[in-house]
Amino acid sequence: MPNTATPTHCPYCALQCGMNLTPAADGTIEVGERADFPVNRGALCGKGRTAPAVLASAARLTSPLVRSADGALVPAGWDEALDRIAGGLARTRAERGADAVGVFGGGGLTNEKAYALGKFARVVLGTSQIDYNGRFCMSSAAAAGTKAFGLDRGLPFPLEDIPKTGCVILVGSNPAETMPPSLRYFTELRENGGTLIVVDPRRTRTAEQADLHLAPRPGTDLALALGMLHLVVAEGRVDERYVEERTAGWEEARAAAMAHWPEYVERITGVSVPELREAVRLFCAPEAAMVLTARGPEQQAKGTDTVGAWINLCLATGRAGRPLSGYGCLTGQGNGQGGREHGQKADQLPGYRRLTDPAARLHVAGVWGVDPDALPGPGRSAYELLDALGTDVRALLLMGSNPVVSAPRAAHVEERIRSLDFLAVCDVVLSETAALADVVLPVTQWAEETGTTTNLEGRVLLRRRAVTPPDGVRGDLEVLHGLADRLGVEKGFPTGPEEVFEELRRASAGGPADYSGIDYRRLGEENGVFWPCPAPGEDAPPHPGTPRLFLDRFATGDGRARFAAVAHRPSAEEPDEAYPVLLTTGRVLAQYQSGAQTRRVAELNAAAPGPFVELHPRLAARLGAAEGDPLAVVSRRGRAVAPARITTGIRPDTVFMPFHWPGEGRANTLTNPALDPTSRMPEFKVCAVRVEVAR
């Protein structure tokens, strides 16, 4: 590759920070600032700065691996590996039916890969059993946003609006560690005279920046939002004209909120009545305000209702569909937004169309050149699909995910994966899940391929190839092309990302997530384009894209937003005598998701070498635990052991574990797979445990 800088984007979180990559003479890759990209304006976190380290990692896969007769994974040629995968999938389909074959994707796949994977599942395999790990990230917010506004886009406004609003309530999010370059927006908010309210059971680095930190008991965010709405009504702060003109369902939602008086909410949440009143005052005082949620309130068995309650707060005060105001979700994975728009989710077709909509099926089938009646219906959600492995689903093709570490009740999921008749995994490294596969395919990474992603703002971006991949490595699109050909579908799976994107444009046209007016040229020239961006009519100028949604009307049939009539209910698993402590989980600054990539970077491992159990000094004293002591955390699903980290920055009734590591300290061994009835999101954020010193 020429020794010139290539403008591209970070492979990690949903900010998709801009960066420049330059191959150096010694074979390393230099990361440079890309100040022209408006999201991060040149700033990068440690993960972004060190991202090229994984490209040259000694742990990198550079040859297909196949399971030998003695049970070992051994190198093989590409033809042999693809033949084995096609044979395993075809054999299972022939013996047990199409739905005995499953496909599991990831929120880090490009739009082109997500689109092609969904098409492959439905057209080549004919299976309904496809979902992806984004179901574990923001699906409750997506469900609530769709119910309320008729459309789900993580942020309905660009990040640049945050410093210009008057108040932000940040619920269950720690961007100082999960997406550090975004913290500047909240810092600038306060510098401009605005206020920041952080809702989190831990005093995180983000909470330390807040004007007001509310520390509710895990699993009670719904009650907290309802208590605030109660006070909005009681104190006469409802924007009656807005409610009358732009919403529906207020009477039912108000009645539900009025059953959550402040003293009752204080008993449930542990947040005092004066703190509740102060939060309402700060939120309602300025002309404009926002509520932003993340995994804290979303990863609950009542996550959709919880997000709906926070949206209610915005609607009742006239803070949605107005400039510098609104509800937004801080999407987590790099392409978590685009990944759920183009067909790798169990119930969706490209363009964020519903799989059960006859018109949507007709349109997409027309683009694909198939009979709409031949498209399978909705399949199982992510955890339900993993739970069915080895029983109803006997063969699995997995791309861009590591559920052995990332799934709830992970020991059970690992057991189900081991029970499969056949497993094929496409990955960059030999992840904990890939190590269990019958065939492992080494695939290209972000800097070695071109493709698009969609960041948390709904900004479609172009990642450019900056370096040549190692010999023996192929792209995921090449994999799908090779498998489709072997399974009897010779056309429809091109290997060029731009050709795939051109088809995606046509498939998305007219859908909620309409990309038809976007092409690679525009993305390169404009630093991204916000969807929806329909194709222009004949002789019309290009559509400019839509940075800000809902300013004129919401995306519902009548243009009105919908309140959610919701009430607090307990978590799926409350503490009791046997399991008296609450566990919540999350991320740390130096690691990312299941750690499959970041755990292979020396600098990041030095900063965050392993798991830990964060607990309050009062709980530590009751246990007789000192800093660094090994603590066993036990739930009804298993046991994890990690060193104690004692801090006053967590509630005394709660412990925290990060979920990036496998083995003895695997936090997801403990977590509860109880599902939200609407979003099918598992309840990662709260479960009952007991804690003891592991002598």
Side-chain angles (χ1 to χ4, degrees):
M1 299 290 288
N3 189 26
T4 56
T6 300
T8 189
H9 296 273
C10 178
Y12 292 118
C13 81
L15 289 179
Q16 288 295 279
C17 292
M19 58 170 60
N20 288 317
L21 296 182
T22 306
D26 63 359
T28 60
I29 300 160
E30 297 176 356
V31 178
E33 290 189 0
R34 186 178 162 193
D36 68 305
F37 186 61
V39 172
N40 61 309
R41 293 175 268 170
L44 292 169
C45 72
K47 293 188 289 290
R49 285 188 298 97
T50 61
V54 185
L55 295 169
S57 170
R60 185 78 187 273
L61 293 173
T62 56
S63 169
L65 303 174
V66 298
R67 189 74 61 183
S68 67
D70 64 1
L73 282 172
V74 298
W78 270 94
D79 283 340
E80 179 186 354
L82 290 171
D83 286 346
R84 283 210 190 187
I85 296 174
L89 301 179
R91 184 168 53 254
T92 301
R93 184 177 60 179
E95 293 175 355
R96 299 181 178 273
D99 277 355
V101 179
V103 177
F104 200 87
L109 300 179
T110 62
N111 289 318
E112 292 81 359
K113 293 179 186 180
Y115 172 82
L117 188 63
K119 180 181 179 183
F120 178 84
R122 296 181 173 105
V123 172
V124 178
L125 298 177
T127 183
S128 67
Q129 300 304 301
I130 175 172
D131 211 72
Y132 83 126
N133 64 15
R135 179 80 66 172
F136 298 158
C137 289
M138 70 296 294
S139 57
S140 291
T146 301
K147 282 185 174 184
F149 308 128
L151 183 70
D152 157 50
R153 196 179 83 185
L155 293 181
F157 42 75
L159 284 163
E160 67 185 45
D161 284 1
I162 291 174
K164 303 170 188 174
T165 194
C167 178
V168 172
I169 302 179
L170 193 58
V171 189
S173 178
N174 182 17
E177 298 197 57
T178 58
M179 45 181 65
S182 72
L183 192 64
R184 67 169 55 185
Y185 292 101
F186 301 101
T187 302
E188 292 170 6
L189 164 73
R190 299 184 70 214
E191 290 172 349
N192 292 340
T195 55
L196 175 63
I197 301 170
V198 171
V199 179
D200 199 304
R202 304 167 61 223
R203 189 161 182 80
T204 62
R205 298 185 190 189
T206 305
E208 289 173 353
Q209 309 297 314
D211 297 281
L212 177 63
H213 172 214
L214 306 179
R217 182 176 178 268
T220 64
D221 307 270
L222 175 54
L224 182 68
L226 289 165
M228 290 182 65
L229 183 56
H230 178 111
L231 287 171
V232 164
V233 176
E235 295 175 1
R237 299 180 185 272
V238 176
D239 187 332
E240 301 285 0
R241 181 174 179 181
Y242 173 94
V243 169
E244 174 66 26
E245 293 178 352
R246 300 203 61 186
T247 72
W250 170 232
E251 293 302 324
E252 296 84 354
R254 179 176 61 186
M258 296 315 289
H260 297 76
W261 59 95
E263 291 77 11
Y264 172 57
V265 169
E266 179 182 80
R267 291 199 300 272
I268 294 170
T269 65
V271 176
S272 70
V273 172
E275 288 177 311
L276 282 171
R277 293 188 183 279
E278 178 65 0
V280 170
R281 185 190 69 80
L282 291 174
F283 183 68
C284 294
E287 183 177 344
M290 300 173 179
V291 173
L292 305 178
T293 67
R295 308 301 80 76
E298 298 164 15
Q299 287 182 327
Q300 299 182 31
K302 51 181 179 292
T304 302
D305 286 356
T306 301
V307 173
W310 288 106
I311 292 174
N312 285 352
L313 185 65
C314 292
L315 296 177
T317 54
R319 309 303 179 88
R322 283 179 168 173
L324 307 180
S325 287
Y327 163 77
C329 161
L330 297 178
T331 298
Q333 294 192 77
N335 197 32
Q337 181 68 52
R340 66 184 185 265
E341 294 169 0
H342 297 301
Q344 66 170 332
K345 201 173 176 186
D347 55 355
Q348 287 175 352
L349 288 170
Y352 223 143
R353 289 180 159 92
R354 289 184 295 109
L355 190 53
T356 54
D357 179 359
R361 294 170 66 87
L362 182 65
H363 173 83
V364 174
V367 174
W368 289 350
V370 299
D371 183 345
D373 292 335
L375 295 177
R380 293 175 172 88
S381 70
Y383 179 77
E384 291 167 305
L385 174 56
L386 295 172
D387 189 42
L389 299 181
T391 54
D392 295 333
V393 178
R394 304 301 295 261
L396 183 70
L397 173 65
L398 186 146
M399 282 187 172
S401 187
N402 188 17
V404 166
V405 178
S406 64
R409 197 185 174 196
H412 171 73
V413 168
E414 179 177 347
E415 177 186 310
R416 300 319 313 145
I417 289 173
R418 289 180 181 275
S419 72
L420 282 164
D421 295 340
F422 183 81
L423 171 64
V425 173
C426 302
D427 212 329
V428 174
V429 297
L430 192 67
S431 70
E432 288 74 19
T433 305
L436 304 180
D438 296 284
V439 181
V440 184
L441 299 181
V443 291
T444 50
Q445 290 195 67
W446 58 288
E448 300 164 350
E449 59 188 10
T450 294
T452 64
T453 62
T454 306
N455 82 342
L456 77 171
E457 307 166 294
R459 187 194 302 255
V460 185
L461 304 166
L462 181 63
R463 277 191 196 162
R464 298 172 175 88
R465 173 171 160 158
V467 297
T468 303
D471 291 339
V473 172
R474 297 185 184 180
D476 293 287
L477 295 178
E478 294 177 88
V479 170
L480 293 175
H481 173 86
L483 292 177
D485 185 60
R486 284 166 171 80
L487 291 167
V489 180
E490 298 177 0
K491 295 182 179 180
F493 290 88
T495 59
E498 188 168 6
E499 187 176 351
V500 176
F501 189 80
E502 288 300 305
E503 183 178 302
L504 182 158
R505 291 176 62 196
R506 292 189 290 118
S508 74
D514 190 337
Y515 284 29
S516 60
I518 305 173
D519 58 32
Y520 272 32
R521 179 194 59 77
R522 282 193 68 179
L523 294 178
E525 293 175 355
E526 299 179 29
N527 256 335
V529 179
F530 291 86
W531 70 260
C533 182
E538 190 173 348
D539 299 325
H543 190 284
T546 315
R548 295 169 182 86
L549 297 169
F550 312 137
L551 295 181
D552 299 318
R553 69 191 307 276
F554 295 99
T556 56
D558 59 7
R560 292 173 174 266
R562 302 292 194 269
F563 279 96
V566 294
H568 169 73
R569 60 184 184 273
S571 298
E573 187 176 78
E574 291 286 341
D576 56 22
E577 186 175 347
Y579 300 94
V581 177
L582 290 167
L583 168 70
T584 191
T585 64
R587 288 166 50 188
V588 297
L589 176 62
Q591 300 289 354
Y592 181 74
Q593 303 299 74
S594 75
Q597 292 172 283
T598 52
R599 285 188 275 113
R600 290 167 169 83
V601 178
E603 181 179 329
L604 300 178
N605 279 335
F612 57 86
V613 181
E614 186 177 281
L615 72 165
H616 192 275
R618 278 161 41 193
L619 178 56
R622 290 205 303 272
L623 298 172
E627 181 75 15
D629 279 353
L631 293 182
V633 183
V634 184
S635 78
R636 290 177 172 86
R637 289 154 295 282
R639 180 177 187 266
V641 179
R645 183 174 294 182
I646 301 172
T647 173
T648 57
I650 191 168
R651 291 174 55 95
D653 59 1
T654 301
V655 294
F656 166 83
M657 291 186 71
F659 57 70
H660 309 290
W661 289 274
E664 187 179 51
R666 181 174 60 184
N668 277 320
T669 297
L670 308 168
T671 48
N672 191 351
L675 301 181
D676 180 288
T678 301
S679 69
R680 316 309 288 169
M681 167 79 85
E683 191 156 72
F684 286 98
K685 284 302 180 192
V686 53
C687 70
V689 298
R690 68 173 182 267
V691 185
E692 52 205 26
V693 178
R695 300 298 184 190

